[in-house]
Amino acid sequence: MCGIFGYIGRKEALPFLIEGLKKLEYRGYDSAGVATIKGGKIQLSKCVGKISFLEDKLAQKPLTGKIGIGHTRWATHGQPSDENSHPHQDCKSELAVVHNGIIENYQELKIQLSGRGHRFLSSTDTEVLAHLIEENYQGDLLSAVRKTIETVRGTYAMAVISKSDPKKIVVARSGSPLIIGLGENELFLSSDIPAMLKYTSRVIYLENGELAVMTPGGVKVFDLKGKEIAKEIDLISWDPESAEKGGYAHFMLKEIHEQPNAIRKTIAGRIQPDSHKIHFDELTMTKEEMRTINRVVFTACGTSWHAGLIGEYLFEQFARLPTEVEYAAEFRYRHPIIDKNTLVIAITQSGETADTLGAVWEARAQGAKTIAICNVVGSTIARESDGVIYTNAGPEIGVASTKAFTTQLTVIYLLALLFGKVREIISESEATKLIQDLIEIPDKLEKVLLGEEGIAKIAGKFYQATNSLYLGRGKGFPIALEGALKLKEVSYIHAEGYPAAEMKHGPIALIDKNMPVVILAFAGRRYEKVLGNIEEVKARGGQVIAIATEGDDAIARQADEVLYIPNTTEALSPLLAAVPLQIFAYYIALKRGCHVDQPRNLAKSVTVE
Ligand code: F6R
């Protein structure tokens, strides 16, 4: 939540700051601001609203200078307003600070600082940082920031510039991401990689408890005691184009269409072409260690949690391991009973979700083994887990998760098969067949995508609904939850996902002629029972949109609309079924005039609890 971008070099900073902030806008978009230094003076501009508002403001009164910091905000403390936008300043406007995270003891610090005569202009937690740095400044900005950190509790990624030290950006990190990009005679600072991919692929990840001084001459990283640390430079292999819309109207639509290739990349190198053996380079667990696992716990938030629910079905089915799925925020504070034989799998696109990170810490503290299934290379959760399996989906920028979800399902499917093989639950020939089914999925997904126009037409019939139900049984249930989440987050239509069998225990009371009911009715063990649920909805005047398997012509006589997915093994049908529901949500949101890539109140990575 919140995005930070910084530049120091030989060129004007402002265009870089605006461009970088636009790429980070998915992290928060309720206000934005920039600050530069020119002629020994801080120049600052900020306002409530999207970055385009800031751009308009800057067009009237541009900022100049070859050093600058910028911020796009998702409000936590203090409502979105001009005053609460970052950067924040000290009493004398000599320095400017941008911050991502939460200063938990800001209220007590604010009282103390006010008592010492400091004047506060905002109701944010961040402003205390500016005043503390002001107090602590004795000729060296780095020392002032270091001293400030000693007094604050909470999470932060912060960047500070000061007119007293005009050729420096001092940055610090604890709990929120911060990455330094190394260009030719210039340095970049960003909350994520895609925002600076256009300028450089050489990066340094700041770790918790590290500070850095960025100057035109280079970067130096220090620990909290002020000792310089030698850092590795990582080379990012993502293609800069992957962070652009590439001709699509929205990132969400682009990312929906990227799914076949994203899954091909997820599989690549992990299935041996001839033997169909599964191999994860990054997984440091030996077969012996895998055999010691007697329980699996998936932990995640939101869409990633839905992927975990599918994981529960797959691990029970293929590996016969007792498996649970936990919301990360619940798991971390509940004194979970886990031990060294428990495998805790954290699923996260961003690798920065605060609760999922907390769940990993809790799991490790209890002695469990942890694996992260993660999309963002080098992210905090990827680095804090015992092992990581990257989903290789490329940057996901649309706030609604699409390709991250289907690639998570791909990794989970392979991992469940791997455990099934190691535990000798599934035979070599069964595994080979199931892997072949997965290899065919990208082509089948391409077929699903060809149905986009038809799905858009159906969306056109239902876009005025105010409520909707999504029902599924077995592996269709998590997809019902995911379909409902996609619809509500991008279109603001109230949508509830339910296990279809539970409908009779309450939600059936909601059904009338105005209630669209999406029913996951793909081929599988529970198909007949799902047909029964369709009848029940129809008998009460509800309108049914069924997701069914190609060739099921009979269902068209029961349902009002049918979205078909190609036939595959039941374990992979959820992956195919998720995609028409993403397209459905996208077109409904579009018809309703919603901001698809930046739905209201949301942010892409939730780095606060
Ligand atoms: C929904 C969505 C969110 C995320 C959730 C977890 O479309 O994107 O529900 O899935 O915030 O985020 P990650 O996976 O980054 O931990």
Side-chain angles (χ1 to χ4, degrees):
M1 312 210 118
C2 302
I4 290 177
F5 201 85
Y7 174 86
I8 184 164
R10 294 182 179 171
K11 302 180 190 132
E12 280 300 308
L14 190 61
F16 290 106
L17 299 181
I18 294 297
E19 185 78 21
L21 289 182
K22 278 188 185 163
K23 293 258 162 53
L24 292 170
E25 204 170 13
Y26 71 88
R27 298 177 69 89
Y29 31 84
D30 59 43
S31 48
V34 286
T36 58
I37 304 180
K38 174 78 182 195
K41 278 206 183 112
I42 300 263
Q43 303 186 359
L44 192 144
S45 186
K46 58 183 186 176
C47 63
V48 70
K50 292 188 184 289
I51 290 160
S52 55
F53 291 31
L54 177 69
E55 258 189 308
D56 292 346
K57 194 172 172 192
L58 285 163
Q60 307 296 320
K61 205 170 166 232
L63 304 191
T64 51
K66 294 177 177 152
I67 166 172
I69 53 176
H71 187 269
T72 180
R73 180 169 188 247
W74 186 89
T76 56
H77 294 63
Q79 65 182 33
S81 68
D82 288 354
E83 298 72 36
N84 289 337
S85 313
H86 298 217
H88 289 285
Q89 294 201 272
D90 59 318
C91 298
K92 290 177 254 149
S93 301
E94 289 189 344
L95 58 87
V97 181
V98 291
H99 164 228
N100 167 22
I102 289 180
I103 304 302
E104 286 166 4
N105 57 339
Y106 86 100
Q107 261 166 334
E108 96 196 40
L109 291 169
K110 195 168 174 174
I111 293 168
Q112 291 164 11
L113 284 159
S114 302
R116 295 197 292 267
H118 289 266
R119 283 176 299 107
F120 283 82
L121 302 179
S122 78
S123 39
T124 65
D125 53 337
T126 303
E127 200 180 348
V128 299
L129 294 174
H131 293 279
L132 285 170
I133 297 167
E134 175 186 10
E135 272 196 355
N136 292 327
Y137 186 80
Q138 285 176 347
D140 176 23
L141 190 58
L142 174 67
S143 307
V145 172
R146 194 151 46 81
K147 224 166 151 201
T148 297
I149 288 170
E150 284 168 12
T151 28
V152 300
R153 268 198 325 272
T155 53
Y156 51 81
M158 69 167 110
V160 190
I161 53 172
S162 164
K163 65 177 254 194
S164 314
D165 239 338
K167 293 211 165 119
K168 258 182 208 169
I169 304 178
V170 174
V171 303
R173 156 183 187 165
S174 182
S176 304
L178 214 45
I179 303 149
I180 295 167
L182 313 176
E184 288 297 319
N185 302 313
E186 57 192 1
L187 295 175
F188 302 88
L189 172 71
S190 177
S191 300
D192 79 9
I193 303 273
M196 58 183 167
L197 215 48
K198 196 168 157 189
Y199 313 119
T200 183
S201 53
R202 296 166 65 233
V203 303
I204 291 175
Y205 292 101
L206 273 199
E207 303 286 342
N208 286 337
E210 288 181 352
L211 299 97
V213 177
M214 299 165 62
T215 62
V219 57
K220 284 187 177 177
V221 180
F222 301 89
D223 67 13
L224 288 176
K225 295 201 177 92
K227 191 167 153 266
E228 193 174 340
I229 307 168
K231 295 285 289 184
E232 268 181 32
I233 297 173
D234 280 67
L235 215 59
I236 304 299
S237 58
W238 284 352
D239 163 14
E241 283 298 307
S242 59
E244 309 291 334
K245 277 195 214 144
Y248 286 93
H250 296 98
F251 279 111
M252 182 178 177
L253 189 61
K254 178 191 173 225
E255 287 158 7
I256 287 172
H257 279 269
E258 281 175 343
Q259 291 179 104
N261 273 339
I263 291 172
R264 286 186 187 107
K265 284 189 194 146
T266 309
I267 298 173
R270 285 157 174 176
I271 299 171
Q272 285 176 11
D274 307 327
S275 64
H276 277 25
K277 281 206 164 61
I278 302 163
H279 178 73
F280 288 108
D281 273 344
E282 320 96 309
L283 196 63
T284 46
M285 272 177 121
T286 62
K287 283 189 181 163
E288 286 62 42
E289 281 172 324
M290 288 171 80
R291 286 193 195 100
T292 66
I293 298 299
N294 58 21
R295 188 166 155 241
V296 174
V297 177
F298 283 99
T299 187
C301 304
T303 288
S304 297
W305 183 79
H306 297 155
L309 283 180
I310 302 270
E312 181 177 25
Y313 287 93
L314 297 181
F315 265 75
E316 286 177 359
Q317 179 179 344
F318 294 144
R320 302 299 302 143
L321 272 166
T323 306
E324 287 146 67
V325 192
E326 300 268 8
Y327 282 116
E330 297 301 316
F331 174 80
R332 62 182 295 196
Y333 290 120
R334 223 196 40 229
H335 306 297
I337 302 165
I338 50 176
D339 60 24
K340 62 181 177 25
N341 302 116
T342 310
L343 176 64
V344 174
I345 305 178
I347 311 171
T348 169
Q349 187 286 129
S350 61
E352 303 293 348
T353 302
D355 281 318
T356 311
L357 178 60
V360 169
W361 285 337
E362 178 62 25
R364 292 192 70 172
Q366 306 271 339
K369 294 191 179 62
T370 54
I371 297 178
I373 295 177
C374 186
N375 192 38
V376 177
V377 177
S379 56
T380 309
I381 296 174
R383 284 175 295 130
E384 300 261 328
S385 306
D386 296 316
V388 55
I389 303 177
Y390 286 114
T391 43
N392 298 343
E396 189 181 68
I397 293 168
V399 166
S401 194
T402 52
K403 61 177 179 172
F405 180 64
T406 46
T407 52
Q408 286 165 352
L409 294 185
T410 305
V411 167
I412 292 167
Y413 181 85
L414 283 174
L415 201 58
L417 288 181
L418 182 63
F419 269 86
K421 281 176 74 174
V422 170
R423 288 167 53 80
E424 296 175 12
I425 308 290
I426 49 173
S427 66
E428 205 58 52
S429 61
E430 277 173 304
T432 304
K433 153 90 183 62
L434 288 162
I435 287 168
Q436 186 54 36
D437 289 332
L438 178 65
I439 292 171
E440 290 167 12
I441 284 294
D443 289 351
K444 292 184 177 174
L445 261 188
E446 263 160 15
K447 246 181 122 183
V448 173
L449 293 171
L450 290 177
E452 181 179 342
E453 217 180 292
I455 302 172
K457 272 200 190 120
I458 297 175
K461 291 189 191 161
F462 292 97
Y463 79 98
Q464 282 168 320
T466 45
N467 292 293
S468 59
L469 264 182
Y470 283 66
L471 305 175
R473 285 175 182 253
K475 298 180 196 90
F477 164 51
I479 299 303
L481 292 177
E482 174 58 10
L485 178 61
K486 283 293 88 85
L487 187 71
K488 64 188 145 195
E489 69 182 326
V490 296
S491 77
Y492 319 140
I493 293 177
H494 171 229
E496 277 196 58
Y498 251 92
E502 280 291 304
M503 179 180 67
K504 289 196 276 291
H505 299 278
I508 197 164
L510 295 170
I511 293 171
D512 63 16
K513 65 178 177 16
N514 299 318
M515 176 69 101
V517 185
V518 176
I519 303 195
L520 280 301
F522 47 75
R525 279 203 301 145
R526 298 165 179 87
Y527 175 71
E528 310 267 308
K529 296 199 187 300
V530 174
L531 289 188
N533 297 127
I534 295 181
E535 286 303 328
E536 287 155 8
V537 173
K538 288 306 302 169
R540 281 148 189 92
Q543 302 182 66
V544 172
I545 304 154
I547 313 298
T549 305
E550 268 171 15
D552 181 359
D553 299 330
I555 203 163
R557 288 192 285 277
Q558 284 178 280
D560 297 271
E561 304 289 348
V562 186
L563 305 176
Y564 284 106
I565 56 168
N567 194 18
T568 181
T569 180
E570 193 192 0
L572 286 168
S573 290
L575 195 159
L576 292 181
V579 177
L581 297 185
Q582 297 167 350
I583 301 173
F584 184 63
Y586 172 81
Y587 278 102
I588 287 201
L590 214 61
K591 285 289 270 177
R592 290 167 71 92
C594 300
H595 201 313
V596 178
D597 280 337
Q598 292 167 357
R600 70 182 177 209
N601 305 337
L602 290 175
K604 182 76 181 159
S605 49
V606 182
T607 54
V608 293
E609 287 184 42

